[in-house]
Amino acid sequence: MQVKSLYHSYQRYRTLQTHKISALPIVILMPHSACNCRCVMCDIWKDNKNLKQLTAQDVQGLLSSLKKFGTQQVVMSGGEALLNQNFFRLCEMLQREGINISLLSTGLTIKKNTEQLLRWVNDIIISIDGPETLHDQIRNIPGAFNKIKEGVAFIRSINPNFQITARTVIHKLNYKAWPAIIECAKELQLNQISFLPADVSSHAFNREILWSPAKQHEILLPEDELSELNTLLDFIIENHSAEFQNHFVAESPEKLRKIYEYYAAFYKLNPFPYKKCNAPWVSTVVEADGTVRPCFFHEAIGNIHETNLDQILNGEKGMSFRKNLDMDTNSICKKCVCYLNLPI
């Protein structure tokens, strides 16, 4: 096992040095393009009528590349991955190759899928936007919070040790409820909760046309409320020290402060917070229509329906992207809200 770990570390090191993918620890798949929520900070649901989804044949075609690159984890994202009728067949194919499955989900259907989830998924990450009423308002789905609550409780009744965590996007509509969100996560008996700011400036989340300044400010904190956010962060850091120490809150206090810095940067009060990220060198994204991206926010570099994943990642476009990417100056990277820094 230690020899295998050293081998993978060496392959990751080679990738970072040469920009040629030799190891790909994480792959993000989007099995289904549609979503069963109508979130105010996301446009994915607005294209639900144009359904796209990955098939068993698509995943079968990926397996040789995943084996070659030693992929250890596949994150099922979306849209809502569970909307794919063959979702658990895809998970089975990957699991049989020794690949762990993490599911990012709205949580609306985890109760009815519990048996299959416990069999074919290693952990679940649920999106939570606030206490019950606020969560349902932001999701635009009546009863959404209770479906999460019932689903988590049902999973816990069968397997109390199953890993279920939450992710919350903090923005104008829910930042004042931040302490209450932490308490909600504890009441739901989740293992952990993490926080990030809202992306308002990229083409991600199905934005063919970038949001206008007016649309951005529906989600961005107003400048005159930034001091209130800072005060709230002081309160959270002071009153939730136990949750930071036991890592129930995934981020450190220093990292949570970057959420304030991110929003303040839109008003030129400080630079956008520095991010140490190696996502394009250790992961890739395959969307429901087969589109391949070096990370969630950057332009496509190919499609698995035209070329296999190995050739896409190490083809001219993929290699050139990694060689020429300067994260300190790239406008997308500077404003990124969801970055990955995987150790060698």
Side-chain angles (χ1 to χ4, degrees):
M1 191 71 179
Q2 186 177 9
V3 172
K4 186 176 182 181
S5 177
L6 288 171
Y7 173 77
H8 283 303
S9 293
Y10 172 66
Q11 294 295 75
R12 291 186 206 178
Y13 176 78
R14 282 184 61 197
T15 297
L16 292 171
Q17 295 299 308
T18 66
H19 303 292
K20 180 178 181 180
I21 300 292
S22 299
L24 196 67
I26 299 173
V27 171
I28 297 96
L29 299 184
M30 297 182 178
H32 201 277
S33 64
C35 190
N36 52 10
C37 285
R38 300 165 62 88
C39 302
V40 297
M41 62 283 190
C42 175
D43 289 344
I44 289 175
W45 57 273
K46 293 181 179 179
D47 199 38
N48 278 0
K49 62 183 181 299
N50 295 318
L51 173 62
K52 307 174 191 70
Q53 57 185 345
L54 294 176
T55 65
Q57 185 177 358
D58 291 331
V59 172
Q60 184 63 44
L62 289 170
L63 289 180
S64 61
S65 295
L66 302 190
K67 282 191 252 184
K68 175 180 178 179
F69 293 136
T71 299
Q72 300 160 354
Q73 180 185 18
V74 164
V75 179
M76 296 292 202
S77 185
E80 173 54 57
L82 288 171
L83 291 176
N84 188 315
Q85 293 183 345
N86 293 311
F87 175 76
F88 293 108
R89 171 62 182 143
L90 307 185
C91 292
E92 179 183 1
M93 294 169 69
L94 294 162
Q95 285 274 24
R96 293 197 187 284
E97 297 298 330
I99 297 171
N100 288 336
I101 308 294
S102 294
L103 170 64
L104 294 175
S105 177
T106 63
L108 299 186
T109 62
I110 59 173
K111 183 177 180 179
K112 76 173 186 179
N113 288 297
T114 290
E115 182 181 349
Q116 294 277 64
L117 286 168
L118 291 176
R119 183 176 182 184
W120 297 116
V121 171
N122 296 90
D123 67 279
I124 301 173
I125 305 162
I126 295 171
S127 298
I128 292 180
D129 296 300
E132 181 178 349
T133 301
L134 181 58
H135 177 85
D136 292 358
Q137 287 174 350
I138 291 173
R139 295 264 140 186
N140 279 309
I141 301 291
F145 187 88
N146 272 333
K147 287 181 179 178
I148 292 173
K149 185 177 181 179
E150 291 172 1
V152 173
F154 190 55
I155 292 173
R156 288 275 177 259
S157 71
I158 299 171
N159 184 350
N161 297 317
F162 189 79
Q163 182 83 359
I164 310 174
T165 61
R167 182 177 62 177
T168 298
V169 177
I170 295 292
H171 49 75
K172 175 182 178 179
L173 304 178
N174 69 352
Y175 81 92
K176 293 180 181 179
W178 200 339
I181 294 169
I182 296 173
E183 293 304 318
C184 279
K186 291 164 67 176
E187 290 168 11
L188 288 171
Q189 299 182 53
L190 301 177
N191 296 98
Q192 189 180 64
I193 186 166
S194 65
F195 299 97
L196 68 161
D199 171 64
V200 299
S201 59
S202 79
H203 281 287
F205 306 101
N206 196 42
R207 297 175 193 142
E208 290 187 13
I209 300 174
L210 290 176
W211 278 2
S212 67
K215 178 63 178 175
Q216 289 181 348
H217 282 277
E218 291 179 14
I219 300 300
L220 285 174
L221 269 74
E223 184 174 1
D224 60 5
E225 293 184 31
L226 287 173
S227 61
E228 187 173 355
L229 173 62
N230 214 19
T231 300
L232 195 59
L233 275 165
D234 289 338
F235 175 86
I236 290 168
I237 291 166
E238 181 179 348
N239 289 274
H240 289 278
S241 58
E243 285 76 17
F244 288 108
Q245 289 172 9
N246 64 22
H247 302 291
F248 182 79
V249 174
E251 293 80 13
S252 66
E254 294 73 24
K255 193 168 182 180
L256 280 195
R257 294 244 183 236
K258 291 186 177 182
I259 294 179
Y260 166 83
E261 293 173 14
Y262 171 82
Y263 285 118
F266 280 93
Y267 303 100
K268 304 188 186 307
L269 300 178
N270 53 246
F272 281 94
Y274 171 76
K275 306 160 196 75
K276 188 176 182 182
C277 176
N278 57 13
W281 290 267
V282 299
S283 67
T284 195
V285 176
V286 182
E287 297 183 349
D289 64 353
T291 296
V292 177
R293 298 181 188 274
C295 84
F296 192 61
F297 299 94
H298 280 283
E299 294 296 324
I301 56 173
N303 191 294
I304 61 169
H305 296 152
E306 300 167 1
T307 314
N308 70 46
L309 184 62
D310 184 353
Q311 292 173 320
I312 293 171
L313 295 176
N314 287 328
E316 183 179 349
K317 196 168 185 178
M319 290 278 289
S320 176
F321 172 82
R322 291 187 295 275
K323 284 181 179 178
N324 295 307
L325 179 61
D326 182 350
M327 293 187 175
D328 292 335
T329 60
N330 183 276
S331 60
I332 292 174
C333 292
K334 284 173 68 176
K335 295 182 180 180
C336 183
V337 300
C338 186
Y339 49 94
L340 171 69
N341 185 44
L342 200 66
I344 293 178

